[in-house]
Amino acid sequence: MGTKTADETGAETGAEATTDEEKVSVAKTGEVTEAEDTSAEDTAADEIDDEDDLIEAAREEGPTGVGQGAGAVVSAALGLVSLTGSWVGTVASARQSLVGQLHAQTATSSDVAKLLDEGYGDAWKATAFWGGVFALIALIVGVGVLARPAFGAPGKPQATWIKSVAWGGVALGVVGLLLAVLKYTDLLLDLPSAS
């Protein structure tokens, strides 16, 4: 029992070697994991520095154009409202119609032309007036958005979509203003004659 055969000694040495190799392998794996953790931390730190640099560069460059984009959208929306009608115009028209009816009931004469003018003509003009107001605001806001780069940061171009939407708002404002003037002056869809 005191003597060991060569096979037993070799097997024992092989088992120790395997164990040592496993320890080295595990140690190397641990080093790789630590290296990966360190490189991940370095990458995260670099990304944070890059984000800080981007934010700082954006501050130095000036405005991002968000306000101009919002102004362009508002201009286009107001231009569309001037063409389709607004709640304010509808309420003003109904109010003028009511005032005309009250005048007609209290009037002693039954002049049909006067009744038409007070009952429907004034309501039509109120609608045209408020359509013109919305069109004028759309026109002013659109022109303001288009003129803004001239007074802003030099060398920073305005985004193409902002220009397009602002031009759309200006065009809708011009058409709405033209229609409002034509309606208000009775050149477009005037009242029918009483005779």
Side-chain angles (χ1 to χ4, degrees), residues 103-124:
H103 281 241
Q105 288 178 356
T106 59
T108 55
S109 67
S110 60
D111 185 17
V112 177
K114 185 176 180 182
L115 293 176
L116 276 175
D117 188 45
E118 288 181 356
Y120 299 103
D122 291 345
W124 180 250

Side-chain angles (χ1 to χ4, degrees), residues 61-77 138 140-170:
E61 288 179 12
T64 59
V66 173
Q68 294 177 29
V73 171
V74 166
S75 172
I140 291 170
V141 171
V143 168
V145 168
L146 291 171
R148 174 65 176 100
F151 303 104
K156 185 167 182 182
Q158 191 174 42
T160 306
W161 73 269
I162 294 175
K163 287 180 186 178
S164 300
V165 174
W167 275 114
V170 168

Side-chain angles (χ1 to χ4, degrees), residues 12-56:
E12 199 172 289
T13 305
E16 288 176 11
T18 304
T19 307
D20 289 339
E21 286 176 7
E22 288 174 357
K23 288 179 183 177
V24 169
S25 173
V26 169
K28 285 183 181 177
T29 306
E31 288 174 9
V32 170
T33 305
E34 288 176 12
E36 287 175 358
D37 289 344
T38 306
S39 68
E41 289 173 3
D42 291 341
T43 305
D46 289 342
E47 287 177 5
I48 290 172
D49 290 340
D50 291 342
E51 289 175 9
D52 290 342
D53 292 340
L54 287 174
I55 292 170
E56 201 170 302

